[in-house]
Amino acid sequence: MTGNKSPFLVAPPLAPVPGLVHGFGDARWSEADFLAFAGSRGLRPVIMRQLHSDIIHRIEAGPAAELEGDALMTDVPGLLLVIRTADCLPALLVDEDRRAVAAVHCGWRGTGMRILEKSVRAMGEAYGSTPAGLKAALGPCIGAACYEVGPEVREGFLLAGFPPSVFAARGDVPGVSVPGLKGKFLLDLRAANAWLLGALGVKKENIFNPGAVCTHCDPRLFSYRRHPADPRRMYNFIGLTRQEI
Ligand SMILES: [Zn+2]
């Protein structure tokens, strides 16, 4: 994290998009703080019960009942799509031309199910978005050096089509189990999701990584692996304000 005073990070290249509100909140922001922020912008938050699934919701109005799933998309102004995280990767997608946005929860389970790819495809079906027309911001998540996973996770990723290079290995051969990890591997969640976007045709120069730091190492961020008993989560959000034309 940089020494900024704002309680959330933004991707500066997205700032010029008219009416776009987005950010990756840090540990200073409680739910009440976040809700006050949304209200001050005239935006209605859409918060899911997250399941580590590949369930994607198209939102056209503030939902009456609690949603369950792991990705939200909309082209309706006035809504603020929310993903809550503590180690998982929050991904925000923008189609500036078609005025559509998405927020995607990418933990290892969702990433293994390629939820970010499915979200890009869902935006294509819903709004006519193309990968080449999308911009993506990948927020803070657990870093590869801290993200040990078992061999069964690696096997699942390889079966799902991911390259072995998404498994980092502290200076050793990529994808090879690291000595001292007792058969464990190190998953690079950010690289895995960036790889999905690149394979779809999202341009590399349109994939931004604001605050590409490790949630596990940085005390200003929440980390499930550092404090499993802490129920607090960071608020990551994207939406479009109503524009007066
Ligand atoms: Zn770390």
Side-chain angles (χ1 to χ4, degrees):
M1 302 287 279
T2 55
N4 63 345
K5 292 197 174 77
S6 168
F8 57 87
L9 286 168
V10 298
L14 298 183
V17 178
L20 184 72
V21 176
H22 81 286
F24 302 98
D26 65 30
R28 288 173 290 178
W29 243 16
S30 68
E31 177 166 346
D33 294 333
F34 168 73
L35 294 176
F37 167 84
S40 74
R41 301 296 183 101
L43 295 166
R44 179 168 178 177
V46 182
I47 301 178
M48 288 177 293
R49 198 167 83 77
Q50 296 170 188
L51 310 170
H52 295 282
S53 69
D54 60 353
I55 298 170
I56 301 162
H57 292 282
R58 179 180 186 175
I59 305 296
E60 296 183 302
E66 187 181 43
L67 293 169
E68 295 191 336
D70 291 278
L72 297 165
M73 61 182 182
T74 194
D75 63 350
V76 178
L79 300 172
L80 197 56
L81 311 181
V82 177
I83 293 294
R84 291 176 293 179
T85 56
D87 288 339
C88 293
L89 176 79
L92 306 177
L93 301 171
V94 185
D95 182 341
E96 182 174 354
D97 291 340
R98 300 186 188 268
R99 305 289 300 158
V101 296
V104 189
H105 172 222
C106 310
W108 71 261
R109 289 189 187 85
T111 301
M113 288 185 266
R114 303 172 76 120
I115 188 173
L116 190 53
E117 172 183 326
K118 290 173 183 173
S119 298
V120 170
R121 294 190 192 283
M123 287 182 79
E125 287 164 24
Y127 313 121
S129 302
T130 62
L134 286 179
K135 293 183 169 73
L138 308 180
C141 69
I142 191 166
C146 292
Y147 205 23
E148 285 184 25
V149 296
E152 72 289 350
V153 172
R154 180 171 182 267
E155 194 58 35
F157 270 67
L158 298 182
L159 285 171
F162 287 87
S165 58
V166 303
F167 290 87
R170 298 174 179 150
D172 298 80
V173 181
V176 173
S177 178
V178 180
L181 283 179
K182 295 184 182 142
K184 299 270 189 177
F185 295 86
L186 297 170
L187 172 58
D188 190 333
L189 210 46
R190 180 179 306 280
N193 283 285
W195 180 83
L196 281 177
L197 292 174
L200 279 168
V202 178
K203 297 173 191 162
K204 202 170 183 179
E205 64 266 30
N206 286 338
I207 302 173
F208 312 114
N209 291 279
V213 291
C214 175
T215 48
H216 190 261
C217 292
D218 193 323
R220 288 168 291 187
L221 303 170
F222 291 133
S223 169
Y224 174 77
R225 288 218 173 181
R226 182 164 21 94
H227 293 300
D230 189 341
R232 292 176 296 172
R233 297 290 180 265
M234 296 179 287
Y235 282 77
N236 311 284
F237 54 91
I238 190 163
L240 296 160
T241 56
R242 291 186 189 84
Q243 286 184 283
E244 281 94 66
I245 300 168

